[in-house]
Each structure stands twice: as structure tokens, then as C-alpha cells.
Amino acid sequence: PVCATSAQLGVLLVRAIGVDYALFMISRIREEIAAGTDCITATEIARTSTGRAVFWSGLTVALSLIGLFLMGDTVLTSMGLVSVIAVIITVAASVGVLPSLLIWLGPRLEYGKVGILSSSRSSRALDRDQGGTFSIFSLTYWMQRWLTIGVSRPFTVVITLGLVLIAISSFSFRVELGSTVHPEMLPSSTQSAQAFAELKRNFPDQAGTDFSLIIAADNLAELESSDELQRFIDSLLEFETVSGPISIDRSLNERAARYNFVVEGNGNDLRNKTMVSAVHRELIPAMQDELGVQAFLSGTLEYEIDDTARYIARTPEVFAVVLGLSMIMLLTAFRSVVVPIKAIVLNMLSTGVSFGVLALLFQASPVSLWDYGVIEGFVPALLFSILFG
């Protein structure tokens, strides 16, 4: 099955890189035409030079997205699969179809040029200097100004902006992964949020996150009747956030039972993480040794914590594979060691800035609706794969 988010990501990627690749080709053709080359020759030159760059760029994007397969998550796997296919098709269209389309259009490509798009006299002058291309709200003018500064004072620009980007990137170390799928975060207008608020008002002990202690043993009924099991249940209830058991479900053969509990808050709370860790590390081994039973934790709380831990454990693998494949790809494409190292350093810096902005917006946000406290567990791997590509 392909998740609905995959379709959205596919559309976004196709539009993003499709527009980029088309603009690269068209800009190159315009440069050649402005230098006196005819339309067909200009397109051939663009397809040879820019088309090669588009080809390697697309392959790098596709390889970066392959990193999503390593997360072992059906949602991310389907997102990665749809995205890789979409990127390959877009590259094929940009290199194989777009040049022919541009040759067919010829001079008609420039139809519809109107001066209303230029917002100032200076930008219009720049437009004329650049072969008639128009800026939007003097964007070309300011980009030209910045390029002039960057060329005349490269060291100053690199150091100044590098320090700014590193400062923002430092906030990425504050990123805390977790789950954002909780009733408290839903819009208050939804019935589920209203129902949870009512539950919290009237049954506060049950308004939290559920988890279950699953116990299996041939003599389970005997253990329950002799209260040998009860002391372990009591030790679980000693954790301040735990209440219950709300209910107990037993199998028909009475060899398995599910004790259903509720905790205050959710899987992002440190107290609940500590409790789950203690149950895994101490309580369950003690039950197995002393009572000879099989015991497991299940339920929403356990799922959230396990899921986040899985994302945290596998995200470094995604980073390593994407960086490694990109290094090989760029070495092959450019026959240079400096180019791939430069690309990796700058992209890692961009990634760090993005994570830093995420932490500032959604973990320390002055806007209450944005303050989730955590970043969804799969976001770093997803963001890195797309951004790096």
C-alpha cells in the first residue's frame, strides 16, 4: 500500500525539481541566443552542458531518497519509492522532452514579455543587460548586488555568513524526537478533541495514554488467585503517572491475560519513558525469573516509545548511506575531490540550519499552536534525504 503522504511528496518534488531543471535549460538557451547563437544550436549546447548537470543532479536526488528505505517504515518506504520514480521521470522529461519542446517553440518562448513585472528602473536596466529577462520585485537587482559583494569580498562573506549559519545550526542539538499524534494537539473543534477534554474533566485517571502488561503462563489462573502476581502489579502502580488496571482481558483458555493501564501524558514525557525503561529492565525480568511467566509491554505508550527509538537508531544510517552514495556520485560526475566535499559540507550546514529552525519553531515557539515540544521521529531522515538531494 502507498500512503497518502507519498502522493503529496511526489507532487511537491516533481514541481520543485521540474521547475528548477526547466529554468536551468531555458536560462542556458537564452544566454547562447543573447551571444548570437541560433535557437537550435543554443538548445543543443544547453542539452549537452546543462542537460548533463540535470542528469547527474537527478541521480543524486534519487540516491538521496533511497535512504528512506533504510528506516524500515512502510510509510517512509512508500514515500521514498514514489519520490524516486517521480524524480527519474522528471529528469527523463527535462533531458529528453524539454529540449525538443523548446526547439519547437523557438522565438515563441519569449511571447508575453511585459514590463509590468519589473518593479524599478534599475531592475529594468538589469533586465536589458541580461538579454531581456525580467525580475520580480527587483529580485535580479538585489541578487546582482549580493553577487558583486560576494565576488569582491569572498572571505568576508564566507566567514560572516558561515558564523551565522553555524549559530543557527547549534539549535539542532536541541532537537528532541517524539510523537505529535495526541488528542491535546488536535484542533479543539474536532469531536475527538472535545471527547478527550470531556474524559479528562470527568475521568482524569483514564485521560492519558494506554499501555498493557501482557502475561502468559500455563498456571496463570493459579498465580492470580494466590496473589503472587499482585505484588508485581502493585510495584507497577508505584510509578506516579500510572493508574489502573482499568480493565483485565483474559484468553478463553485462561493462559494469557492483558492488564490495561493508563499513564498521565504521553510517550514524550520523561517520567513515562523512565517507567517503561524500568519495567523492561527490572520488573519483567523479575516476573519471568520468580513466576516463570512470559511478560511483555504493549499499547499506545509502548508503541510511541519504541517507534521513536527505532527512528533515532536508524537515522544515522540514513545520513551515512546518503553521504556515501552522494560522494561516489559526485566523484564520478565531476572527477574532483573538492567538489563533493564542498557539496557535503554545505549541505550538512544547510541541514543543520533546517533542524535548528525546526527546534526554534516547534520546540521553543512563542506561538502556542506551534509548540509541540518534540519533532516527529521520522522528520530528520525525511528532511535530510530531500534537502541533501
Side-chain angles (χ1 to χ4, degrees), residues 53-376:
V54 166
F55 174 77
W56 287 107
S57 172
L59 283 185
T60 305
V61 174
L63 282 176
S64 298
L65 292 167
I66 287 176
L68 295 177
F69 299 158
L70 301 175
M71 295 299 287
D73 183 276
T74 54
V75 173
L76 291 180
T77 297
S78 65
M79 292 172 74
L81 184 62
V82 168
S83 300
V84 168
I85 294 172
V87 168
I88 291 174
I89 292 174
T90 305
V91 170
S94 300
V95 176
V97 179
L98 180 61
S100 300
L101 178 62
L102 295 177
I103 290 176
W104 176 72
L105 286 172
R108 287 174 292 183
L109 182 65
E110 305 297 339
Y111 285 178
K113 257 189 186 179
V114 289
I116 193 171
L117 290 178
S118 293
S119 60
S120 69
R121 190 173 182 178
S122 57
S123 64
R124 285 195 293 271
L126 273 171
D127 292 339
R128 288 194 297 272
D129 294 340
Q130 296 176 4
T133 57
F134 283 93
S135 63
I136 299 177
F137 306 118
S138 298
L139 180 61
T140 305
Y141 171 74
W142 290 110
M143 288 178 64
Q144 189 70 34
R145 287 284 300 274
W146 178 250
L147 179 61
T148 302
I149 296 173
V151 170
S152 60
R153 300 182 180 87
F155 182 77
T156 303
V157 169
V158 168
I159 296 299
T160 303
L161 289 189
L163 290 175
V164 172
L165 295 177
I166 290 172
I168 299 175
S169 298
S170 65
F171 290 98
S172 65
F173 294 104
R174 301 186 184 184
V175 168
E176 184 176 345
L177 302 184
S179 174
T180 58
V181 185
H182 298 292
E184 300 95 327
M185 297 181 182
L186 292 171
S188 57
S189 58
T190 60
Q191 287 197 17
S192 54
Q194 295 172 11
F196 184 78
E198 196 67 22
L199 179 68
K200 196 171 183 178
R201 188 179 304 112
N202 293 285
F203 303 95
D205 290 342
Q206 299 185 35
T209 305
D210 67 274
F211 77 95
S212 304
L213 180 63
I214 312 295
I215 302 171
D218 291 337
N219 61 337
L220 182 60
E222 179 183 338
L223 292 174
E224 289 185 316
S225 61
S226 64
D227 292 335
E228 290 186 61
L229 195 58
Q230 187 60 43
R231 60 190 178 92
F232 289 100
I233 302 298
D234 292 339
S235 63
L236 182 57
L237 293 172
E238 289 176 2
F239 292 96
E240 59 179 338
T241 61
V242 179
S243 60
I246 303 300
S247 62
I248 303 174
D249 303 314
R250 295 182 176 85
S251 62
L252 293 177
N253 61 9
E254 297 187 346
R255 293 180 180 177
R258 178 172 62 189
Y259 289 74
N260 301 303
F261 299 85
V262 171
V263 294
E264 297 176 16
N266 50 57
N268 300 327
D269 295 345
L270 180 59
R271 293 181 302 172
N272 292 333
K273 292 180 181 178
T274 302
M275 182 273 294
V276 168
S277 177
V279 170
H280 281 299
R281 190 178 61 255
E282 300 169 8
L283 184 63
I284 288 179
M287 292 176 65
Q288 292 173 337
D289 292 341
E290 297 183 30
L291 302 181
V293 302
Q294 289 183 296
F296 312 91
L297 277 187
S298 183
T300 303
L301 179 68
E302 179 70 12
Y303 170 79
E304 289 181 359
I305 294 176
D306 283 352
D307 207 38
T308 300
R310 177 167 59 96
Y311 287 133
I312 292 174
R314 296 194 177 186
T315 295
E317 297 178 19
V318 175
F319 278 50
V321 169
V322 169
L323 291 175
L325 290 176
S326 299
M327 184 78 176
I328 295 171
M329 179 65 65
L330 293 172
L331 276 171
T332 304
F334 293 99
R335 309 289 181 178
S336 165
V337 175
V338 176
V339 169
I341 291 176
K342 182 273 302 178
I344 287 175
V345 170
L346 287 181
N347 277 300
M348 288 300 293
L349 188 57
S350 298
T351 302
V353 171
S354 300
F355 289 170
V357 171
L358 277 180
L360 290 172
L361 282 180
F362 300 111
Q363 287 185 208
S365 177
V367 182
S368 59
L369 291 176
W370 289 7
D371 190 5
Y372 294 109
V374 295
I375 305 299
E376 192 68 42

